[in-house]
């Protein structure tokens, strides 16, 4: 629950806000038993997507994943500049990202991400 004070009781609303995943515009969001527990990375190794036909949240590898590696997806747009990613994560999830992409991020990283945004448009 990202909305609760450190020692306070967690609320259902706070848990949903913290752990829910998007299920498309018409479907809103849902909390899933396993996928909602995945951690964030700005350099994710998998992607979570909602399949409106099967009504299931799917996780697919976006890179090679070695046995024992943690599965992480990005809670926000990973192509955004570091400052925008940090702001979005703090606003929506109340945490400061310390993934490799943020802790080692620099101007060149932001430029590569900007190029990725251009190519994906």
């Amino acid at each position: 629950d990202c909305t609760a004070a450190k020692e306070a009781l967690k609320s259902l609303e706070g848990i949903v806000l913290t752990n829910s995943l998007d299920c498309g515009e018409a479907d809103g969001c849902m909390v899933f038993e396993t996928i909602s527990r995945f951690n964030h990375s700005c350099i994710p190794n998998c992607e979570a997507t909602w399949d409106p036909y099967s009504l299931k949240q799917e996780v697919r590898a976006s890179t090679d994943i070695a046995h024992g590696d943690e599965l992480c997806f990005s809670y926000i747009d990973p192509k955004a500049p570091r400052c925008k990613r940090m702001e979005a994560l703090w606003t929506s999830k109340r945490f400061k990202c310390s993934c490799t992409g943020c802790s080692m991020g620099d101007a060149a990283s932001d430029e590569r991400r900007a190029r990725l945004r251009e190519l994906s448009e």
Side-chain angles (χ1 to χ4, degrees):
D1 180 350
C2 68
T3 64
K6 196 167 196 144
E7 303 299 322
L9 292 174
K10 297 179 185 300
S11 69
L12 177 60
E13 179 183 21
I15 291 168
V16 170
L17 288 171
T18 303
N19 298 299
S20 63
L21 297 172
D22 184 31
C23 296
E25 290 179 31
D27 300 306
C29 62
M30 295 177 73
V31 175
F32 299 88
E33 184 176 354
T34 303
I35 301 170
S36 291
R37 308 283 299 165
F38 282 29
N39 284 321
H40 163 81
S41 175
C42 292
I43 306 173
N45 58 11
C46 60
E47 296 180 14
T49 58
W50 176 252
D51 181 353
Y53 302 105
S54 67
L55 300 178
K56 292 182 181 179
Q57 188 77 16
E58 298 178 347
V59 176
R60 297 179 186 222
S62 55
T63 64
D64 290 336
I65 302 171
H67 179 76
D69 281 358
E70 178 181 19
L71 300 178
C72 295
F73 57 87
S74 186
Y75 298 167
I76 44 87
D77 179 7
K79 296 182 293 292
R82 180 179 179 272
C83 64
K84 296 287 186 188
R85 295 192 317 268
M86 297 289 265
E87 179 184 341
L89 288 167
W90 182 254
T91 301
S92 65
K93 304 291 186 181
R94 293 285 187 256
F95 77 89
K96 182 179 178 185
C97 186
S98 59
C99 75
T100 305
C102 286
S103 61
M104 297 179 66
D106 56 10
S109 174
D110 282 348
E111 289 172 15
R112 288 188 301 272
R113 290 172 193 267
R115 181 69 178 134
L116 285 171
R117 275 193 314 279
E118 289 173 11
L119 293 171
S120 65
E121 291 177 352

